[in-house]
Short mmCIF file of all heavy atoms in Angstrom, two decimals:
data_model
loop_
_atom_site.label_atom_id
_atom_site.label_comp_id
_atom_site.label_asym_id
_atom_site.label_seq_id
_atom_site.Cartn_x
_atom_site.Cartn_y
_atom_site.Cartn_z
N SER A 168 -210.86 133.74 164.08
CA SER A 168 -210.08 134.98 163.97
C SER A 168 -209.68 135.50 165.35
O SER A 168 -208.55 136.00 165.52
CB SER A 168 -210.87 136.04 163.21
OG SER A 168 -212.07 136.39 163.90
N LEU A 169 -210.56 135.39 166.33
CA LEU A 169 -210.22 135.83 167.69
C LEU A 169 -209.11 134.98 168.29
O LEU A 169 -208.21 135.50 168.97
CB LEU A 169 -211.47 135.79 168.58
CG LEU A 169 -212.56 136.82 168.28
CD1 LEU A 169 -213.78 136.60 169.16
CD2 LEU A 169 -212.02 138.25 168.45
N LEU A 170 -209.15 133.67 168.04
CA LEU A 170 -208.08 132.79 168.52
C LEU A 170 -206.75 133.15 167.87
O LEU A 170 -205.70 133.19 168.55
CB LEU A 170 -208.43 131.33 168.22
CG LEU A 170 -209.53 130.69 169.09
CD1 LEU A 170 -209.89 129.31 168.54
CD2 LEU A 170 -209.06 130.58 170.53
N LEU A 171 -206.78 133.42 166.58
CA LEU A 171 -205.55 133.77 165.86
C LEU A 171 -204.99 135.12 166.32
O LEU A 171 -203.78 135.26 166.57
CB LEU A 171 -205.82 133.78 164.36
CG LEU A 171 -206.17 132.42 163.73
CD1 LEU A 171 -206.63 132.59 162.30
CD2 LEU A 171 -204.97 131.48 163.79
N ILE A 172 -205.86 136.11 166.43
CA ILE A 172 -205.42 137.43 166.88
C ILE A 172 -204.93 137.36 168.33
O ILE A 172 -203.94 138.01 168.71
CB ILE A 172 -206.57 138.46 166.75
CG1 ILE A 172 -206.90 138.67 165.27
CG2 ILE A 172 -206.20 139.79 167.39
CD1 ILE A 172 -208.13 139.52 165.04
N GLY A 173 -205.61 136.54 169.16
CA GLY A 173 -205.15 136.36 170.53
C GLY A 173 -203.77 135.73 170.59
O GLY A 173 -202.95 136.08 171.47
N SER A 174 -203.47 134.82 169.68
CA SER A 174 -202.14 134.20 169.62
C SER A 174 -201.07 135.22 169.23
O SER A 174 -199.96 135.21 169.78
CB SER A 174 -202.15 133.03 168.63
OG SER A 174 -203.10 132.07 169.00
N ILE A 175 -201.41 136.09 168.30
CA ILE A 175 -200.48 137.16 167.93
C ILE A 175 -200.22 138.08 169.12
O ILE A 175 -199.08 138.46 169.40
CB ILE A 175 -201.03 137.96 166.73
CG1 ILE A 175 -201.05 137.10 165.48
CG2 ILE A 175 -200.20 139.23 166.49
CD1 ILE A 175 -201.68 137.77 164.28
N ALA A 176 -201.30 138.41 169.84
CA ALA A 176 -201.17 139.27 171.02
C ALA A 176 -200.29 138.60 172.08
O ALA A 176 -199.50 139.28 172.75
CB ALA A 176 -202.55 139.58 171.59
N LEU A 177 -200.41 137.29 172.24
CA LEU A 177 -199.59 136.56 173.21
C LEU A 177 -198.11 136.65 172.86
O LEU A 177 -197.26 136.89 173.74
CB LEU A 177 -200.03 135.09 173.26
CG LEU A 177 -199.18 134.16 174.14
CD1 LEU A 177 -199.21 134.63 175.59
CD2 LEU A 177 -199.63 132.72 174.01
N ILE A 178 -197.79 136.46 171.59
CA ILE A 178 -196.39 136.54 171.15
C ILE A 178 -195.84 137.95 171.38
O ILE A 178 -194.71 138.11 171.89
CB ILE A 178 -196.27 136.14 169.67
CG1 ILE A 178 -196.63 134.67 169.49
CG2 ILE A 178 -194.86 136.41 169.15
CD1 ILE A 178 -196.67 134.20 168.05
N LEU A 179 -196.62 138.96 171.04
CA LEU A 179 -196.18 140.34 171.25
C LEU A 179 -195.99 140.63 172.75
O LEU A 179 -195.05 141.31 173.14
CB LEU A 179 -197.19 141.31 170.64
CG LEU A 179 -197.31 141.28 169.11
CD1 LEU A 179 -198.41 142.21 168.64
CD2 LEU A 179 -195.99 141.65 168.46
N PHE A 180 -196.90 140.11 173.57
CA PHE A 180 -196.78 140.30 175.02
C PHE A 180 -195.50 139.65 175.54
O PHE A 180 -194.78 140.24 176.36
CB PHE A 180 -198.00 139.70 175.72
CG PHE A 180 -197.91 139.75 177.23
CD1 PHE A 180 -198.21 140.92 177.91
CD2 PHE A 180 -197.52 138.63 177.95
CE1 PHE A 180 -198.11 140.98 179.29
CE2 PHE A 180 -197.43 138.67 179.33
CZ PHE A 180 -197.72 139.85 180.00
N LEU A 181 -195.21 138.45 175.08
CA LEU A 181 -194.01 137.75 175.55
C LEU A 181 -192.74 138.51 175.20
O LEU A 181 -191.82 138.62 176.01
CB LEU A 181 -193.95 136.34 174.93
CG LEU A 181 -194.94 135.31 175.47
CD1 LEU A 181 -194.92 134.05 174.62
CD2 LEU A 181 -194.63 134.98 176.92
N PHE A 182 -192.69 139.06 174.00
CA PHE A 182 -191.46 139.70 173.53
C PHE A 182 -191.32 141.14 174.00
O PHE A 182 -190.20 141.66 174.06
CB PHE A 182 -191.37 139.64 172.00
CG PHE A 182 -190.83 138.34 171.48
CD1 PHE A 182 -191.68 137.27 171.23
CD2 PHE A 182 -189.48 138.17 171.26
CE1 PHE A 182 -191.19 136.06 170.76
CE2 PHE A 182 -188.97 136.97 170.79
CZ PHE A 182 -189.83 135.90 170.53
N TYR A 183 -192.43 141.79 174.31
CA TYR A 183 -192.35 143.21 174.66
C TYR A 183 -192.66 143.50 176.13
O TYR A 183 -192.32 144.58 176.62
CB TYR A 183 -193.30 144.03 173.78
CG TYR A 183 -192.78 144.23 172.37
CD1 TYR A 183 -193.23 143.42 171.33
CD2 TYR A 183 -191.83 145.20 172.08
CE1 TYR A 183 -192.77 143.58 170.04
CE2 TYR A 183 -191.36 145.37 170.79
CZ TYR A 183 -191.83 144.55 169.78
OH TYR A 183 -191.35 144.71 168.51
N LYS A 184 -193.29 142.58 176.82
CA LYS A 184 -193.70 142.86 178.20
C LYS A 184 -193.12 141.90 179.24
O LYS A 184 -193.44 142.02 180.41
CB LYS A 184 -195.23 142.82 178.29
CG LYS A 184 -195.94 143.90 177.46
CD LYS A 184 -195.58 145.29 177.92
CE LYS A 184 -196.33 146.35 177.11
NZ LYS A 184 -196.00 147.72 177.54
N THR A 185 -192.30 140.94 178.81
CA THR A 185 -191.69 140.03 179.77
C THR A 185 -190.17 140.12 179.67
O THR A 185 -189.62 140.55 178.65
CB THR A 185 -192.13 138.58 179.52
OG1 THR A 185 -191.63 138.14 178.25
CG2 THR A 185 -193.65 138.45 179.54
N SER A 186 -189.51 139.69 180.72
CA SER A 186 -188.04 139.74 180.77
C SER A 186 -187.42 138.37 180.55
O SER A 186 -186.26 138.15 180.89
CB SER A 186 -187.60 140.29 182.13
OG SER A 186 -188.13 139.50 183.18
N LEU A 187 -188.17 137.44 179.97
CA LEU A 187 -187.65 136.12 179.70
C LEU A 187 -186.59 136.18 178.60
O LEU A 187 -186.51 137.14 177.83
CB LEU A 187 -188.79 135.19 179.27
CG LEU A 187 -189.91 134.95 180.28
CD1 LEU A 187 -191.04 134.17 179.62
CD2 LEU A 187 -189.39 134.21 181.50
N SER A 188 -185.77 135.15 178.53
CA SER A 188 -184.77 135.08 177.46
C SER A 188 -185.46 134.87 176.12
O SER A 188 -186.61 134.39 176.06
CB SER A 188 -183.79 133.94 177.72
OG SER A 188 -184.47 132.69 177.67
N ILE A 189 -184.77 135.21 175.03
CA ILE A 189 -185.35 135.06 173.69
C ILE A 189 -185.71 133.60 173.43
O ILE A 189 -186.76 133.28 172.86
CB ILE A 189 -184.37 135.58 172.62
CG1 ILE A 189 -184.17 137.09 172.77
CG2 ILE A 189 -184.89 135.26 171.22
CD1 ILE A 189 -183.22 137.67 171.76
N GLY A 190 -184.84 132.69 173.87
CA GLY A 190 -185.10 131.28 173.68
C GLY A 190 -186.37 130.82 174.38
O GLY A 190 -187.16 130.06 173.80
N MET A 191 -186.58 131.28 175.61
CA MET A 191 -187.78 130.90 176.36
C MET A 191 -189.02 131.52 175.72
O MET A 191 -190.07 130.87 175.63
CB MET A 191 -187.65 131.35 177.81
CG MET A 191 -188.81 130.91 178.70
SD MET A 191 -189.02 129.11 178.73
CE MET A 191 -187.47 128.62 179.53
N LYS A 192 -188.92 132.77 175.27
CA LYS A 192 -190.05 133.41 174.60
C LYS A 192 -190.44 132.65 173.33
O LYS A 192 -191.62 132.42 173.07
CB LYS A 192 -189.70 134.86 174.24
CG LYS A 192 -189.50 135.77 175.44
CD LYS A 192 -189.02 137.14 174.97
CE LYS A 192 -188.77 138.07 176.15
NZ LYS A 192 -188.25 139.39 175.73
N ALA A 193 -189.42 132.25 172.57
CA ALA A 193 -189.68 131.51 171.34
C ALA A 193 -190.29 130.14 171.64
O ALA A 193 -191.21 129.70 170.94
CB ALA A 193 -188.38 131.36 170.54
N LEU A 194 -189.79 129.48 172.68
CA LEU A 194 -190.30 128.15 173.05
C LEU A 194 -191.77 128.21 173.45
O LEU A 194 -192.58 127.38 173.02
CB LEU A 194 -189.45 127.58 174.18
CG LEU A 194 -189.83 126.15 174.65
CD1 LEU A 194 -189.67 125.17 173.49
CD2 LEU A 194 -188.98 125.75 175.84
N ILE A 195 -192.12 129.19 174.28
CA ILE A 195 -193.52 129.35 174.69
C ILE A 195 -194.41 129.68 173.49
O ILE A 195 -195.52 129.17 173.37
CB ILE A 195 -193.64 130.45 175.77
CG1 ILE A 195 -192.88 130.05 177.03
CG2 ILE A 195 -195.10 130.73 176.10
CD1 ILE A 195 -192.82 131.13 178.09
N SER A 196 -193.90 130.51 172.59
CA SER A 196 -194.66 130.88 171.40
C SER A 196 -194.90 129.67 170.50
O SER A 196 -196.01 129.48 169.98
CB SER A 196 -193.92 131.97 170.62
OG SER A 196 -193.76 133.14 171.40
N ILE A 197 -193.87 128.85 170.31
CA ILE A 197 -194.01 127.65 169.48
C ILE A 197 -195.02 126.70 170.10
O ILE A 197 -195.86 126.10 169.39
CB ILE A 197 -192.64 126.96 169.31
CG1 ILE A 197 -191.71 127.84 168.46
CG2 ILE A 197 -192.80 125.59 168.66
CD1 ILE A 197 -190.29 127.33 168.39
N LEU A 198 -194.96 126.54 171.43
CA LEU A 198 -195.92 125.69 172.12
C LEU A 198 -197.34 126.20 171.94
O LEU A 198 -198.28 125.43 171.71
CB LEU A 198 -195.56 125.61 173.60
CG LEU A 198 -196.47 124.73 174.49
CD1 LEU A 198 -196.43 123.29 173.99
CD2 LEU A 198 -196.05 124.83 175.95
N ALA A 199 -197.51 127.53 172.03
CA ALA A 199 -198.84 128.14 171.86
C ALA A 199 -199.36 127.92 170.44
O ALA A 199 -200.55 127.62 170.24
CB ALA A 199 -198.76 129.63 172.17
N ILE A 200 -198.48 128.04 169.45
CA ILE A 200 -198.89 127.81 168.06
C ILE A 200 -199.28 126.35 167.86
O ILE A 200 -200.27 126.05 167.17
CB ILE A 200 -197.75 128.21 167.10
CG1 ILE A 200 -197.49 129.73 167.17
CG2 ILE A 200 -198.09 127.80 165.66
CD1 ILE A 200 -196.27 130.17 166.40
N PHE A 201 -198.51 125.45 168.45
CA PHE A 201 -198.81 124.02 168.34
C PHE A 201 -200.19 123.71 168.94
O PHE A 201 -200.99 122.99 168.33
CB PHE A 201 -197.73 123.22 169.06
CG PHE A 201 -197.92 121.73 168.99
CD1 PHE A 201 -197.70 121.04 167.80
CD2 PHE A 201 -198.33 121.02 170.11
CE1 PHE A 201 -197.89 119.66 167.74
CE2 PHE A 201 -198.52 119.64 170.05
CZ PHE A 201 -198.29 118.96 168.86
N ILE A 202 -200.47 124.26 170.11
CA ILE A 202 -201.78 124.05 170.75
C ILE A 202 -202.88 124.68 169.90
O ILE A 202 -203.98 124.10 169.75
CB ILE A 202 -201.78 124.67 172.17
CG1 ILE A 202 -200.80 123.91 173.06
CG2 ILE A 202 -203.18 124.63 172.77
CD1 ILE A 202 -200.61 124.53 174.43
N LEU A 203 -202.62 125.86 169.33
CA LEU A 203 -203.60 126.53 168.47
C LEU A 203 -203.96 125.67 167.27
O LEU A 203 -205.14 125.54 166.93
CB LEU A 203 -203.04 127.88 168.01
CG LEU A 203 -203.88 128.67 167.00
CD1 LEU A 203 -205.17 129.14 167.66
CD2 LEU A 203 -203.09 129.85 166.45
N VAL A 204 -202.95 125.08 166.63
CA VAL A 204 -203.20 124.23 165.46
C VAL A 204 -204.05 123.01 165.84
O VAL A 204 -204.96 122.61 165.11
CB VAL A 204 -201.87 123.79 164.81
CG1 VAL A 204 -202.12 122.75 163.72
CG2 VAL A 204 -201.14 124.99 164.23
N ILE A 205 -203.76 122.43 167.01
CA ILE A 205 -204.54 121.28 167.47
C ILE A 205 -206.00 121.68 167.68
O ILE A 205 -206.93 120.96 167.27
CB ILE A 205 -203.95 120.72 168.79
CG1 ILE A 205 -202.57 120.11 168.53
CG2 ILE A 205 -204.89 119.68 169.39
CD1 ILE A 205 -201.89 119.59 169.78
N ILE A 206 -206.22 122.84 168.31
CA ILE A 206 -207.59 123.31 168.55
C ILE A 206 -208.32 123.56 167.24
O ILE A 206 -209.46 123.12 167.04
CB ILE A 206 -207.57 124.59 169.41
CG1 ILE A 206 -207.03 124.28 170.81
CG2 ILE A 206 -208.96 125.20 169.50
CD1 ILE A 206 -206.83 125.51 171.68
N LEU A 207 -207.66 124.25 166.31
CA LEU A 207 -208.29 124.57 165.03
C LEU A 207 -208.55 123.32 164.20
O LEU A 207 -209.49 123.27 163.40
CB LEU A 207 -207.42 125.56 164.25
CG LEU A 207 -207.26 126.95 164.86
CD1 LEU A 207 -206.40 127.83 163.96
CD2 LEU A 207 -208.60 127.61 165.10
N SER A 208 -207.70 122.30 164.38
CA SER A 208 -207.89 121.06 163.63
C SER A 208 -209.17 120.34 164.05
O SER A 208 -209.73 119.56 163.26
CB SER A 208 -206.68 120.13 163.85
OG SER A 208 -205.50 120.72 163.35
N LYS A 209 -209.63 120.60 165.26
CA LYS A 209 -210.80 119.89 165.79
C LYS A 209 -212.12 120.43 165.25
O LYS A 209 -213.08 119.67 165.09
CB LYS A 209 -210.80 119.97 167.33
CG LYS A 209 -209.61 119.29 167.99
CD LYS A 209 -209.60 117.78 167.73
CE LYS A 209 -208.46 117.10 168.46
NZ LYS A 209 -208.44 115.64 168.20
N PHE A 210 -212.18 121.74 164.97
CA PHE A 210 -213.47 122.30 164.57
C PHE A 210 -213.41 123.24 163.37
O PHE A 210 -214.44 123.76 162.93
CB PHE A 210 -214.11 123.05 165.75
CG PHE A 210 -213.52 124.39 166.04
CD1 PHE A 210 -214.15 125.56 165.61
CD2 PHE A 210 -212.32 124.51 166.72
CE1 PHE A 210 -213.60 126.80 165.87
CE2 PHE A 210 -211.77 125.76 166.99
CZ PHE A 210 -212.42 126.90 166.57
N TYR A 211 -212.21 123.44 162.80
CA TYR A 211 -212.10 124.35 161.66
C TYR A 211 -211.38 123.70 160.47
O TYR A 211 -211.96 123.56 159.39
CB TYR A 211 -211.38 125.63 162.09
CG TYR A 211 -210.96 126.53 160.96
CD1 TYR A 211 -211.91 127.06 160.08
CD2 TYR A 211 -209.62 126.85 160.76
CE1 TYR A 211 -211.54 127.88 159.03
CE2 TYR A 211 -209.24 127.68 159.72
CZ TYR A 211 -210.19 128.18 158.85
OH TYR A 211 -209.81 128.99 157.81
#
Side-chain angles (χ1 to χ4, degrees):
S168 63
L169 290 176
L170 287 172
L171 294 171
I172 294 173
S174 301
I175 293 176
L177 174 61
I178 294 175
L179 293 176
F180 175 80
L181 287 172
F182 277 88
Y183 285 99
K184 296 298 182 180
T185 65
S186 57
L187 299 172
S188 65
I189 295 180
M191 185 58 65
K192 294 175 182 177
L194 182 61
I195 297 174
S196 299
I197 292 173
L198 181 61
I200 294 172
F201 181 72
I202 295 174
L203 175 67
V204 172
I205 293 177
I206 294 174
L207 295 181
S208 297
K209 297 296 183 180
F210 76 101
Y211 169 59

